[in-house]
Amino acid sequence: MTLAMTRGTLLRSGELPSLQYTATRDRFDPTWEAPLSTLLGLGRAAGADFIEIFLERKNYISCLAEDDAITSVSPSLVTGAGVRVFVGKADCYVSTNDLSFTGLRAALEKGLSIMGLLLPAPNSHISGINLEILRDYATAREKESWLTNASSMQEMGDILLSANADLAKKATHIQARRAAYFRDWQEVMVAASDGTFARDIRLTQSVGYSLLCADGEHRSSINQRVGDTSDPNFLRSWRYQDTADEVAEAAGKMLYADYVESGSYPIIMANHFGGVIFHEACGHLLETTQIERETTPFIDKKGEKIAHENLTAWDEGLTPDEFGTLDMDDEGMPTQRTLLIENGVLKNFLADRAGSMRTGHPRTGSGRRQGYTYAAASRMRNTYIAPNDYSLDDLFASVDNGIYCKKMGGGSVGPTGQFNFAVSEAYQIENGKITKPLKGATLIGEAIEIMPKISMSSNDLSLAPGFCGSVSGSIYVTVGQPHIKVDSITVGGR
Amino acid sequence: MANIQDIAAYAENSAKKLGIAKYDIYGSSVDDTSVQVDKGEPKQVKASNRASVIVRVWNDDNLIGVTSTTDVDSIGIELALKTAYEASAFGAKEHVPDFSPEATKPTAEVSTTLATQAPVADLLKTLIATEKELLESHSAIASVPYNGLAQSGIDRFYLNSSGALRSEERTYASIYLYGKTEQEGRKPRAAGAIRIHQGLDALDVQGCLKETMEKTISHLNYEKIKTGKYRVVFSAEAFLGLLGAFSNLYNAQSILDKLSLSTPDSLGTQIASPLLSVYDDALHPENVSAETFDGEGTPTRRIPLITEGVLTNFLHSAGTAKRLNAQPTGHASIGAKVSVSPHFYHVVPGQAAEQAYSLDDAENVILIDDLQALHAGVSALQGSFSLPFDGWLVNKGKRVSIESATVAGDFRDVLKSIIFVESEPEITPGGVCPRIWVDDLSITGE
């Protein structure tokens, strides 16, 4: 851990304009304590109940290979800060690109004025906030070298071209093939008037394929990617040959698939990205954001049975290298493992600071945001249904006429709890056996009705990276589950 | 924050220092404020003052590199130029973009009003009063879980090392309301509306309130619907949603990338019923966010896309226009790979219909008000969609809300199965469009 510098002393606000803090421009380090402590003290002295300052630097790059050429290398450099001011349970969030002391003070002043508060009068005595010794996860976990050790532009291009060439050998009827990679390096610092002072570095990477095949009027498109949050060697160690095998096989099978006939069916959902059903159908409804809006049917169900007794589910930020893994959330709270549902009984909600204050549920290290332009909100991390004792054969044997949803597309949940998501690779199940491929299926339902129908889970839990868009922007998450059986669900089709 | 002249000067100085002879920059700065309320109390206020630019650099081998940054001071611009130069070593070797030949041509004169930003207290007062009125309008409307009133001012600019320099300023205000019902023994129902204008003073807050109230109440008495084939009427919002989801049909970049349902030879083919004509018109008077130039500095204009069912034009960047021997249309966004996207649709009747239809006397038709989950339920490269929707079963003018259903089909079939395009246009944030009648679409209900 890095030690904080000397604590702030009493200041006279009339002297503030002449203060020239020189916190580093290119690194968030302990020198930030003095200006942040002063700003937080100013905010509290103005009458705010709570102040939080979030600093962010981002170094992002994406690379795209189309057929046999690199067609895009896009770096992006972002610097910004957000100042959040609470008065009672109401809050105001002001963001800026200007990380100078003057710029941050202007953002604070704007936030205060929106809340009806003014910076203290000249010559008032203002106390800086005593911040904890910097909790520096970046230094403690040796993340400082992550950016320099990640793949170079040259290496990105070489690997994507090799990967695309491999896909060309394996797939048939190719119309377009793409391999895409991104690396998102983010340094964050959080300081708050309760003394929170923490820093972290995150390195999120993802790589994958997008394949479009066509034969006359028949078309299939398959997307598949893998992701990681802490390994600079991630791209170098990508086994693209395996991914190419899977993508080529799926595209080939789906090319001549029939459209699914709409109706109500028992379904078996594959493990891995199949977990998006739980993410959409239930996970979002367990965020305190939804309680605040009264848009979750589970609002008063803590301790009650909301799902089949065979279902247990977790949300956590601890599993190494998973897409939703964090050392701390975007409010500076260490991440944790949160039991959501145990044997069908609702155990916990996911809460950020504001959500906890407004709903009474304890914070769970789930305050997350896309970046400095968003206030943190309660969001999921690695969310999955726990494995159970059934075998895959048990699940299939229980279905006479149903659908096997092998690969899921995206989905969403509405304000009344109704969810929907697309199935990108599906097969008919007849008498317990997988038969013909099907396309065009959409699964529709309501969480409160579907959860009790998840009656069987197998023992093959697998996790998959995903992107989740919601009130605090797009964040990296993991979805997951073992194979599960849903006794009956509406399938939209032709 | 730096202004456009500052940024131009930083870029010129840094480029000279770094030995970069050719570059261009597109950027914007945004100053916005938004409020949300919850049962008469302010919930969250957000304010932001931010800027970002994207820099393109051509190296000595005429390869292009790009970097975007939010640091728009001299150090940030220099770093962006440097990084873009580094990236140019890996730039595409074929079809390298160039400056738009129209980057210095005059842009259209657009009549705009720049509104003064209202105090936050006024925003809150307006939204709290609106929420209260909505909650009091019907006993079943229990909450307005999603609501917001926002205002923003945007400055955008384009400049290049050959002397192009253009900028424009806009202001917007918008409101959205989403009411939710609670009734004993009934499922919660929800519906919403949105309005946008150049400033808060002229924003149609009452119109948004009335539409939200009427729609929400109209869904109180709902019924299941039988699965089957139906005659479907798309609202403007719903049809424009589908049109946008399948915009690869007329997107030249998608076509060149072979990620489209069209090919370069599709121009001149009949892709829709002759009853339909579609334009993209950034300069349409109803387009509150009218932009007079695109990310390459090309002036925007009105482009006929589908004329009486015939595909007549693609949307172009400077690069796609050059490759397809056409003119740029003002639809580019710059990047390492230039992308193309529509601005504002204007859908009108094409040929006169042999028969006119009306919801007042039609039987057993489905009026789709809003399509959901377009990001998930559309296979844009296959042409197919399967989407949940909000809507009503309509019999001789009587509407009954549909509890839960999806509509599915192939968008190319939808275009060809249009049997009527109403004459009265509806104005939406994404375009102007009348209701569109389509035969034989698959509806999944119970």
Side-chain angles (χ1 to χ4, degrees):
Chain A
M1 292 286 183
T2 306
L3 290 176
M5 295 179 70
T6 313
R7 296 279 152 69
T9 53
L10 283 178
L11 302 168
R12 284 181 184 277
S13 63
E15 298 167 354
L16 287 175
S18 63
L19 290 177
Q20 292 298 321
Y21 289 109
T22 53
T24 51
R25 179 188 168 109
D26 56 356
R27 188 169 188 271
F28 297 146
D29 62 17
T31 63
W32 280 87
E33 189 201 11
L36 295 177
S37 166
T38 302
L39 289 164
L40 294 168
L42 279 171
R44 288 283 286 128
D49 293 321
F50 183 81
I51 307 271
E52 178 202 80
I53 300 173
F54 175 82
L55 307 177
E56 180 191 24
R57 289 199 309 131
K58 187 181 273 231
N59 183 319
Y60 177 96
I61 190 165
S62 63
C63 185
L64 173 68
E66 292 179 276
D67 298 331
D68 297 310
I70 297 296
T71 55
S72 172
V73 177
S74 293
S76 176
L77 308 168
V78 172
T79 307
V83 179
R84 196 170 190 184
V85 178
F86 280 86
V87 176
K89 291 182 178 178
D91 75 288
C92 166
Y93 188 77
V94 179
S95 58
T96 178
N97 298 126
D98 188 348
L99 264 58
S100 68
F101 183 78
T102 310
L104 292 174
R105 199 178 65 150
L108 172 66
E109 189 170 10
K110 185 166 187 177
L112 292 170
S113 72
I114 286 170
M115 301 305 283
L117 303 173
L118 292 171
L119 279 174
N123 302 319
S124 305
H125 283 87
I126 310 298
S127 177
I129 295 293
N130 275 347
L131 298 177
E132 64 176 308
I133 295 172
L134 182 65
R135 264 185 295 123
D136 189 345
Y137 295 97
T139 303
R141 304 275 164 90
E142 299 179 343
K143 302 176 181 180
E144 303 288 356
S145 61
W146 277 2
L147 182 59
T148 49
N149 290 344
S151 293
S152 65
M153 289 186 202
Q154 181 71 53
E155 195 171 26
M156 289 173 209
D158 291 346
I159 291 171
L160 292 188
L161 288 174
S162 299
N164 240 9
D166 193 55
L167 184 61
K169 286 183 212 156
K170 291 171 175 168
T172 58
H173 303 293
I174 295 172
Q175 177 155 324
R177 65 196 147 93
R178 293 176 152 202
Y181 164 79
F182 76 78
R183 179 213 70 210
D184 186 357
W185 178 94
Q186 183 197 36
E187 180 184 18
V188 298
M189 176 171 267
V190 182
S193 57
D194 64 353
T196 299
F197 189 39
R199 170 183 181 250
D200 198 10
I201 284 176
R202 290 104 181 229
L203 178 69
T204 309
Q205 299 172 88
S206 179
V207 65
Y209 285 117
S210 176
L211 176 64
L212 173 65
C213 295
D215 183 12
E217 286 300 302
H218 299 284
R219 285 177 168 229
S220 63
S221 58
I222 297 291
N223 300 297
Q224 190 161 319
R225 56 174 49 250
V226 290
D228 182 275
T229 48
S230 61
D231 180 9
N233 292 307
F234 164 74
L235 182 62
R236 293 178 195 113
S237 55
W238 177 36
R239 292 184 53 80
Y240 58 76
Q241 298 88 345
D242 295 347
T243 314
D245 284 340
E246 291 175 32
V247 169
E249 183 186 355
K253 282 183 177 169
M254 297 309 295
L255 185 57
Y256 305 105
D258 292 335
Y259 280 103
V260 69
E261 191 176 326
S262 58
S264 186
Y265 297 93
I267 63 166
I268 292 174
M269 298 198 61
N271 57 5
H272 206 60
F273 198 65
V276 71
I277 187 174
F278 184 77
H279 175 101
E280 295 294 350
C282 187
H284 278 296
L285 302 177
L286 301 181
E287 297 165 342
T288 49
T289 314
Q290 305 288 332
I291 298 179
E292 291 176 52
R293 292 199 161 110
E294 299 177 2
T295 48
T296 170
F298 304 132
I299 191 165
D300 53 358
K301 303 285 190 218
K302 192 167 174 178
E304 294 183 24
K305 189 176 171 192
I306 64 163
H308 197 281
E309 61 265 22
N310 284 342
L311 191 140
T312 293
W314 293 90
D315 180 273
E316 47 87 2
L318 298 170
T319 304
D321 288 344
E322 293 300 337
F323 226 42
T325 296
L326 301 161
D327 277 317
M328 67 173 209
D329 72 3
D330 291 319
E331 297 178 317
M333 182 175 177
T335 193
Q336 61 172 228
R337 183 171 161 86
T338 308
L339 179 61
L340 299 175
I341 298 168
E342 186 175 37
N343 299 325
V345 176
L346 176 58
K347 291 293 186 180
N348 286 293
F349 287 93
L350 299 173
D352 62 318
R353 183 189 297 278
S356 176
M357 187 172 63
R358 290 169 182 150
T359 67
H361 293 285
R363 286 173 73 193
T364 52
S366 307
R368 302 188 64 191
R369 59 184 116 198
Q370 178 179 322
Y372 73 94
T373 57
Y374 294 90
S378 55
R379 303 291 295 274
M380 285 175 268
R381 298 159 295 194
N382 306 313
T383 314
Y384 49 85
I385 296 173
N388 210 320
D389 295 333
Y390 291 103
S391 71
L392 201 50
D393 289 343
D394 292 336
L395 267 64
F396 277 98
S398 71
V399 177
D400 291 333
N401 178 28
I403 294 172
Y404 176 42
C405 303
K406 188 175 179 188
K407 276 206 180 73
M408 302 302 301
S412 66
V413 61
T416 58
Q418 189 178 69
F419 67 81
N420 59 81
F421 34 99
V423 188
S424 59
E425 186 181 350
Y427 299 87
Q428 185 101 38
I429 305 172
E430 293 171 283
N431 300 318
K433 304 286 182 201
I434 291 174
T435 56
K436 63 179 184 177
L438 298 169
K439 65 182 174 186
T442 303
L443 306 182
I444 308 142
E446 290 187 35
I448 206 158
E449 292 176 352
I450 293 299
M451 295 301 293
K453 294 180 180 174
I454 302 176
S455 59
M456 299 172 83
S457 306
S458 63
N459 48 14
D460 54 356
L461 172 66
S462 176
L463 307 181
F467 306 88
C468 174
S470 186
V471 288
S472 59
S474 177
I475 59 169
Y476 306 115
V477 297
T478 292
V479 299
Q481 62 179 31
H483 277 76
I484 61 167
K485 180 192 173 192
V486 182
D487 292 336
S488 173
I489 192 168
T490 301
V491 178
R494 299 280 177 94
Chain B
M1 194 163 289
N3 60 35
I4 179 175
Q5 281 74 24
D6 293 336
I7 292 169
Y10 299 152
E12 190 175 353
N13 293 338
S14 297
K16 203 173 283 177
K17 186 171 143 192
L18 297 167
I20 295 168
K22 185 174 178 180
Y23 63 89
D24 67 357
I25 302 178
Y26 174 83
S28 64
S29 67
V30 181
D31 189 356
D32 57 18
T33 313
S34 64
V35 301
Q36 292 174 32
V37 301
D38 182 22
K39 295 191 177 66
E41 296 292 331
K43 188 182 175 199
Q44 186 173 72
V45 180
K46 286 179 78 175
S48 176
N49 188 357
R50 61 189 189 277
S52 65
V53 299
I54 182 159
V55 176
R56 294 195 297 185
V57 164
W58 284 257
N59 67 19
D60 295 341
D61 298 323
N62 198 38
L63 301 181
I64 196 168
V66 169
T67 293
S68 62
T69 183
T70 58
D71 277 341
V72 292
D73 58 10
S74 58
I75 300 171
I77 295 291
E78 182 170 328
L79 181 61
L81 283 163
K82 244 186 215 173
T83 311
Y85 189 80
E86 187 188 340
S88 69
F90 309 97
K93 293 179 175 57
E94 291 181 2
H95 312 301
V96 180
D98 202 345
F99 292 157
S100 168
E102 299 189 12
T104 51
K105 282 193 176 175
T107 56
E109 292 289 328
V110 175
S111 167
T112 56
T113 306
L114 295 180
T116 308
Q117 298 253 323
V120 170
D122 289 2
L123 299 180
L124 284 169
K125 191 177 158 194
T126 302
L127 192 56
I128 286 171
T130 308
E131 184 206 36
K132 182 168 184 277
E133 203 173 332
L134 183 55
L135 289 171
E136 288 174 350
S137 66
H138 195 284
S139 58
I141 300 179
S143 63
V144 191
Y146 297 91
N147 63 71
L149 181 57
Q151 59 183 2
S152 56
I154 300 175
D155 289 320
R156 45 192 295 278
F157 69 89
Y158 172 84
L159 63 88
N160 69 30
S161 53
S162 289
L165 177 63
R166 53 188 25 160
S167 65
E168 65 188 8
E169 189 179 359
R170 296 284 183 271
T171 58
Y172 313 107
S174 63
I175 183 169
Y176 67 90
L177 300 167
Y178 208 85
K180 186 180 162 210
T181 66
E182 298 284 350
Q183 283 182 306
E184 189 65 33
R186 307 286 285 172
K187 290 185 175 181
R189 307 290 281 167
I194 184 169
R195 292 291 187 279
I196 183 166
H197 203 275
Q198 286 160 350
L200 183 63
D201 288 350
L203 186 65
D204 185 12
V205 175
Q206 280 303 312
C208 187
L209 170 69
K210 187 166 179 282
E211 184 182 338
T212 304
M213 181 180 68
E214 288 175 355
K215 277 188 182 171
T216 308
I217 292 168
S218 79
H219 290 299
L220 280 176
N221 296 313
Y222 55 86
E223 289 180 8
K224 291 183 185 297
I225 188 169
K226 292 277 182 204
T227 296
K229 298 271 189 185
Y230 287 82
R231 178 167 291 174
V232 168
V233 183
F234 288 96
S235 70
E237 193 81 46
F239 188 75
L240 293 178
L242 270 186
L243 198 60
F246 291 98
S247 62
N248 69 49
L249 272 167
Y250 39 81
N251 182 316
Q253 188 63 58
S254 301
I255 290 163
L256 289 167
D257 289 341
K258 295 182 283 186
L259 296 173
S260 170
L261 299 169
S262 300
T263 69
D265 298 329
S266 299
L267 278 184
T269 59
Q270 189 85 31
I271 65 163
S273 156
L275 305 177
L276 181 79
S277 289
V278 178
Y279 297 82
D280 184 78
D281 188 0
L283 306 172
H284 193 285
E286 296 293 348
N287 183 9
V288 174
S289 55
E291 295 179 347
T292 60
F293 60 91
D294 71 1
E296 296 180 313
T298 304
T300 56
R301 65 206 72 182
R302 180 176 172 87
I303 297 291
L305 297 172
I306 299 172
T307 306
E308 296 184 351
V310 175
L311 185 62
T312 28
N313 275 296
F314 298 143
L315 302 179
H316 283 290
S317 64
T320 62
K322 190 174 173 186
R323 289 174 67 185
L324 292 173
N325 198 25
Q327 291 297 309
T329 57
H331 290 87
S333 298
I334 67 170
K337 182 170 172 129
V338 177
S339 61
V340 169
S341 56
H343 292 291
F344 189 83
Y345 290 112
H346 186 194
V347 178
V348 296
Q351 291 179 8
E354 288 178 10
Q355 184 178 353
Y357 296 90
S358 165
L359 286 174
D360 292 336
D361 50 33
E363 294 180 20
N364 212 38
V365 300
I366 288 176
L367 172 56
I368 293 182
D369 181 49
D370 187 29
L371 291 167
Q372 296 155 10
L374 283 155
H375 69 286
V378 167
S379 295
L381 300 178
Q382 298 180 39
S384 62
F385 62 89
S386 178
L387 298 164
F389 66 89
D390 287 336
W392 305 270
L393 182 66
V394 185
N395 267 304
K396 295 187 175 175
K398 189 185 169 204
R399 297 180 185 190
V400 176
S401 176
I402 296 167
E403 181 187 336
S404 170
T406 62
V407 57
D410 187 302
F411 187 62
R412 293 162 295 186
D413 295 337
V414 168
L415 288 176
K416 288 181 175 166
S417 304
I418 291 171
I419 56 167
F420 186 53
V421 176
E422 294 190 7
S423 56
E424 189 67 27
E426 295 175 12
I427 298 164
T428 78
V432 173
C433 179
R435 287 196 291 231
I436 308 286
W437 292 60
V438 178
D439 249 357
D440 283 334
L441 269 173
S442 294
I443 302 290
T444 304
E446 64 170 1

